[in-house]
Amino acid sequence: AQSVTQLGSHVSVSEGALVLLRCNYSSSVPPYLFWYVQYPNQGLQLLLKYTTGATLVKGINGFEAEFKKSETSFHLTKPSAHMSDAAEYFCAVSDRDDKIIFGKGTRLHILP
Amino acid sequence: GAVVSQHPSRVICKSGTSVKIECRSLDFQATTMFWYRQFPKKSLMLMATSNEGSKATYEQGVEKDKFLINHASLTLSTLTVTSAHPEDSSFYICSASLTVPYNEQFFGPGTRLTVL
């Protein structure tokens, strides 16, 4: 069975500092991996996804994530945090059928 | 990119009434749509998978008679919360699946249901 673990339900970083949100997954087959962002009272917006090919994936808003099979990780990073990055971030995995399994989410706080 | 809409965005209803939420894929046809429920400060819980022209597949623990799903066309799925109670209050999110070139789900903006 697939699962996703996001380390840290809350992460705080200073504006301009590096953002690192951790995600580990388990899957019996090569997975599709996703990061979504959710702003209050809104749906989910896809930040980036890994399907095949290059393991470093670049997404919107300056975010990127690297698929590391040996570590079963797909951590999300951004070199310099902006106040507008404050939101809930969800890591998700799919084993290529239609279902997506979400992690519990990480609330990102940006400190001025 | 593919756009999914939900209507209404917010609904407040009295206990015992039924509420229908619509999910539409605006610029693509989706053979599969998904319904999620999100509790406050929690992750998304998949409730059911809706396939056009067939019965929905419910996840374990989700009452199919309570949460009626109809997927009448390739662009519309509806979720009806029957005889709603305060514990049904939640944020409901739908998604529509685009299978080519690879599976990807596009999410609607969500519906906030409050049952008084």
Side-chain angles (χ1 to χ4, degrees), chain B residues 54-115:
Chain B
S54 64
K55 291 184 178 181
T57 302
Y58 290 82
E59 296 299 304
Q60 190 174 7
V62 178
E63 299 176 61
K64 61 181 180 181
D65 295 329
K66 174 75 171 176
F67 299 98
L68 300 179
I69 292 173
N70 184 282
H71 195 155
S73 75
L74 290 173
T75 60
L76 174 64
S77 176
T78 61
L79 168 69
T80 302
V81 183
T82 62
S83 186
H85 291 282
E87 57 265 29
D88 299 324
S89 299
S90 196
F91 195 54
Y92 292 88
I93 302 176
C94 75
S95 70
S97 177
L98 191 60
T99 57
V100 179
Y102 44 74
N103 285 334
E104 182 172 347
Q105 291 185 26
F106 296 90
F107 288 82
T111 297
R112 172 74 61 191
L113 171 62
T114 302
V115 185

Side-chain angles (χ1 to χ4, degrees), chain A residues 32 34 36 38 41-44 46 49 51 88 90 94 96-100 102-105 107, chain B residues 10 32 34 36 38 42-44 46 49 51 59 91 93 97 99 102-105 107-110 112:
Chain A
Y32 289 152
F34 308 85
Y36 290 90
Q38 185 181 34
N41 294 311
Q42 294 186 27
L44 274 68
L46 181 67
K49 59 181 180 285
T51 53
E88 187 87 21
F90 292 96
S94 171
R96 302 174 187 230
D97 66 7
D98 282 339
K99 291 185 180 180
I100 291 180
F102 288 89
K104 293 186 176 182
R107 171 76 61 178
Chain B
R10 288 178 180 272
T32 305
F34 301 85
Y36 295 85
Q38 187 177 30
K42 297 289 186 181
S43 187
L44 282 77
L46 178 64
T49 303
N51 292 295
E59 296 299 304
F91 195 54
I93 302 176
S97 177
T99 57
Y102 44 74
N103 285 334
E104 182 172 347
Q105 291 185 26
F107 288 82
R112 172 74 61 191

Side-chain angles (χ1 to χ4, degrees), chain A residues 78-100:
Chain A
K78 181 174 180 178
S80 178
H82 192 273
M83 295 300 291
S84 61
D85 295 327
E88 187 87 21
Y89 291 80
F90 292 96
C91 181
V93 62
S94 171
D95 66 358
R96 302 174 187 230
D97 66 7
D98 282 339
K99 291 185 180 180
I100 291 180

Side-chain angles (χ1 to χ4, degrees), chain A:
Chain A
Q2 299 167 285
S3 67
V4 177
T5 302
Q6 290 184 242
L7 293 176
S9 58
H10 292 266
V11 170
S12 296
V13 301
S14 297
E15 189 174 18
L18 172 71
V19 175
L20 170 61
L21 303 183
R22 298 179 186 274
C23 173
N24 289 87
Y25 70 91
S26 68
S27 178
S28 58
V29 299
Y32 289 152
L33 295 161
F34 308 85
W35 274 101
Y36 290 90
V37 61
Q38 185 181 34
Y39 297 98
N41 294 311
Q42 294 186 27
L44 274 68
Q45 181 181 8
L46 181 67
L47 278 177
L48 49 80
K49 59 181 180 285
Y50 168 79
T51 53
T52 58
T55 56
L56 182 62
V57 181
K58 295 185 183 298
I60 62 172
N61 301 339
F63 285 93
E64 62 183 36
E66 186 171 10
F67 169 56
K68 292 187 176 180
K69 184 179 179 180
S70 60
E71 299 177 8
T72 61
S73 69
F74 192 58
H75 302 329
L76 181 71
T77 61
K78 181 174 180 178
S80 178
H82 192 273
M83 295 300 291
S84 61
D85 295 327
E88 187 87 21
Y89 291 80
F90 292 96
C91 181
V93 62
S94 171
D95 66 358
R96 302 174 187 230
D97 66 7
D98 282 339
K99 291 185 180 180
I100 291 180
I101 305 300
F102 288 89
K104 293 186 176 182
T106 298
R107 171 76 61 178
L108 178 63
H109 304 271
I110 309 298
L111 307 174

